[in-house]
Amino acid sequence: MTTVKQGKALNIKDSRILIAGAASLVGSHTADLLLKEGAREVLLLDNFSFGSMDAIAHLQNEPRIKIVRADLMRLPDLLAATEGVDGVIHLAAYMTLGFSQTPWQAVDVNIRGAQNMLEACRVNRVKKIIFASSNAVYGYGSGIKGALSEEIPFHSVGAPPAAILYGASKIMGEQLCRQYHQSAGQDYVVLRYSTVYGERQHYRAANSLYIMETYDLVRKGQAPVLPGDGKDTKHFVHVSDVARANVAALQSSATDVAVNVSGPAPITTGELVELVLEYCKSDLKPEVRPDPPGKVRLTSGGAFHIPHDKAGEVIGWKPVVQMREGVMRLLAWREQQDGTATKL
């Protein structure tokens, strides 16, 4: 049994919760769940540079929702936004593709932006912050195999610079949380997400994008592409399970801890392509083709899995959406966006 420090647990029904980076896949689903759980008010903070109003359009007329246009790089914005707030879910960050395209901006937002949010929480005595980290803190390449438990070190041999920079930025964010806990007593929980996918999927995540790219090719009658032999491992987690983890972490009394938030089991790229072909009722055969130079695709280097046992012990959470169900739900939503829904 994991021994964890005890801090503040939030009663969602009595709380005002702010989601930073709310106009996003995870943010919108988390807002949905907070409303369902009876939150007093949910503040959706975003600067909309990446986030889309489309993701939260269904929430705009909800009386318990407040949309806050603010920027992580402006501390005064965050000080105003967090006044009277009980809990913060900090999702706002650049992803790996951003570190490939605009690395300086990405480093600044992921590190100084996180510190600005922590400082605002300290000043306004926010009871708890949930920091969205990533399995990128374990690194990439040949060292990534077996169980990626919360205690393993960072591996970077052979990984692309953008991936290393992203993982390092998340490590920095986690350590800033620890520092604020030690120096100011700020309660927090770090959630290390696996690759998140699901309804309202965007086109910015290097790995979850692979599902969408494969679907788009098959729908055009083109063969899906395998960047390797189809045995490369991925570990996805459905967005509804991630939203549940965010809320569970707020409700838990745990503090000063980091836990994995992963799906029920890993999957290979070959198995993933087969799920897409099954959904599309296609007999196309995958084509093995290396990614072009400069393509950001994160490969594991070997078979691995990301255990979530500690999350069960610490915040009482485990995933429930199996990969097949999740992919079918995502692609059904994708078809609805095109007005070409297919009956399953």
Side-chain angles (χ1 to χ4, degrees), residues 2 16 44 67 76 83 143 158 164 181 191 236 243 246 248 253 270-271 286 290-291 294 340:
T2 302
R16 298 179 73 233
L44 307 181
I67 297 175
E83 188 172 356
I164 298 171
H181 179 76
L191 301 181
F236 291 83
N246 290 335
S253 60
E271 291 168 338
D291 280 329
T340 57

Side-chain angles (χ1 to χ4, degrees), residues 268-287:
T268 66
T269 49
E271 291 168 338
L272 188 58
V273 167
E274 287 303 318
L275 287 178
V276 176
L277 290 169
E278 175 191 342
Y279 178 86
C280 295
K281 299 178 175 60
S282 171
D283 56 3
L284 288 167
K285 301 300 180 185
E287 176 184 330

